[in-house]
Amino acid sequence: MEKENMKAMIFAAGLGTRLKPLTDRMPKALVPVAGKPLLQIQMEKLKAAGFTDVVINVHHFSTQIIRFIEENHAFGLRVSFSDETASLLETGGAVKKAARLLATDGEEPFLIHNVDILSNVDLHRFCSREAMGHAASLLVSRRPSKRQLLFDEDNRLVGWQNIETGEVRTPYSDLDVLHCSQYAFSGIHLFSPRLFRYFPDWPDKFSIVDFYLSLCAKEPIYGIPLQGLKLMDVGKLDTLTMADQFLLNECC
């Protein structure tokens, strides 16, 4: 994805309930890791990877996030805010609401990144290599998770399974789960504007995973299991110390 204007969206609207009491006074996006707010870590990584335009969705303590970006001169990027203060829209609804801000030339994909995911992925390389012809490219890993995405032998998305309950969701009536590769979703993905045309059939609030599952039989949605990927979800208080070390050891 070599072009002048590389766009990304950072999901930063979450309530951060698992990080209480910190998030009683600040948004999850501003919780510090190794001395830097999570949002700053992501903004600096996007800038280093060549991104120029970033959309940030906001809800919880939204004014703090907006002020933080303004005080830091948007870290040298062009930033737009997608306002969800009236109601959280979940991941799919967030993209739908921000679609006009995310539109790119033709079908060039944009990056979506959860604010609380740390990784060693080279975002420029991921976008350059994996954007070719896909409606969506999902960075996936073998990390333990009770919710696993299912892929065929070509790593095309074919379904989803809850390992604990055995629930399977798929558009394919004859899917053999035992012959599928299982990966956990990282919260980092490339999304082509070609998928915008399906949004009118969806409500304001929905999950992006539900959206992908509904389309995977007719649109090329692929999992990308990168070699050497290291990933951490900064979701709980007891992970913050580990996150400090992860950031210093793996992401720098």
Side-chain angles (χ1 to χ4, degrees):
M1 194 168 69
E2 301 287 350
K3 58 176 185 171
E4 292 183 1
N5 298 313
M6 294 175 64
K7 293 191 175 185
M9 181 172 188
I10 298 177
F11 286 154
L15 298 174
T17 53
R18 295 181 299 163
L19 285 171
K20 283 179 171 288
L22 290 177
T23 48
D24 287 336
R25 62 180 186 274
M26 70 173 70
K28 176 171 61 176
L30 297 186
V31 169
V33 172
K36 288 185 179 181
L38 285 165
L39 182 57
Q40 180 176 349
I41 293 167
Q42 307 302 356
M43 293 289 286
E44 290 177 346
K45 187 167 185 177
L46 289 171
K47 183 175 175 61
F51 286 84
T52 56
D53 296 72
V54 179
V55 177
I56 304 170
N57 70 331
V58 293
H59 173 82
H60 186 54
F61 290 118
S62 60
T63 56
Q64 288 189 32
I65 293 177
I66 294 170
R67 184 168 62 248
F68 175 75
I69 292 295
E70 291 175 345
E71 289 175 349
N72 286 279
H73 308 287
F75 298 95
L77 299 168
R78 290 189 290 267
V79 174
S80 302
F81 296 98
S82 183
D83 187 357
E84 296 180 26
T85 51
S87 177
L88 274 172
L89 301 177
E90 297 189 23
T91 50
V95 179
K96 179 181 178 180
K97 182 176 176 63
R100 64 179 180 81
L101 302 172
L102 292 165
T104 59
D105 296 333
E107 295 183 352
E108 288 285 355
F110 54 85
L111 181 76
I112 301 173
H113 201 303
N114 287 5
V115 75
D116 57 356
I117 295 295
L118 302 178
S119 79
N120 66 345
V121 66
D122 181 333
L123 292 177
H124 186 273
R125 186 180 179 196
F126 174 62
C127 293
S128 298
R129 288 178 51 206
E130 308 304 345
M132 308 299 188
H134 295 180
S137 300
L138 320 183
L139 184 64
V140 295
S141 72
R142 293 288 191 185
R143 67 186 176 89
S145 174
K146 68 179 181 180
R147 299 177 183 87
Q148 297 282 322
L149 293 176
L150 305 175
F151 298 90
D152 67 14
E153 59 186 8
D154 296 319
N155 281 333
R156 180 165 176 163
L157 181 66
V158 292
W160 172 96
Q161 182 179 30
N162 185 312
I163 303 301
E164 289 186 353
T165 66
E167 178 190 0
V168 174
R169 293 165 52 201
T170 176
Y172 299 97
S173 59
D174 58 348
L175 184 70
D176 184 351
V177 173
L178 295 179
H179 284 83
C180 295
S181 298
Q182 299 184 359
Y183 291 101
F185 183 34
S186 70
I188 301 171
H189 40 136
L190 288 169
F191 189 106
S192 171
R194 68 194 274 183
L195 297 179
F196 287 169
R197 64 180 180 268
Y198 297 102
F199 279 161
D201 296 329
W202 287 76
D204 290 340
K205 180 177 179 179
F206 60 94
S207 160
I208 197 69
V209 171
D210 290 346
F211 182 73
Y212 287 149
L213 289 171
S214 76
L215 297 176
C216 64
K218 53 188 173 183
E219 291 286 355
I221 299 172
Y222 284 85
I224 311 297
L226 294 183
Q227 288 286 339
L229 175 65
K230 295 184 179 180
L231 192 77
M232 185 172 186
D233 180 349
V234 189
K236 299 179 182 178
L237 283 175
D238 59 8
T239 64
L240 287 178
T241 300
M242 291 185 289
D244 288 347
Q245 291 303 311
F246 182 91
L247 188 67
L248 293 172
N249 296 334
E250 305 296 346
C251 299
C252 298

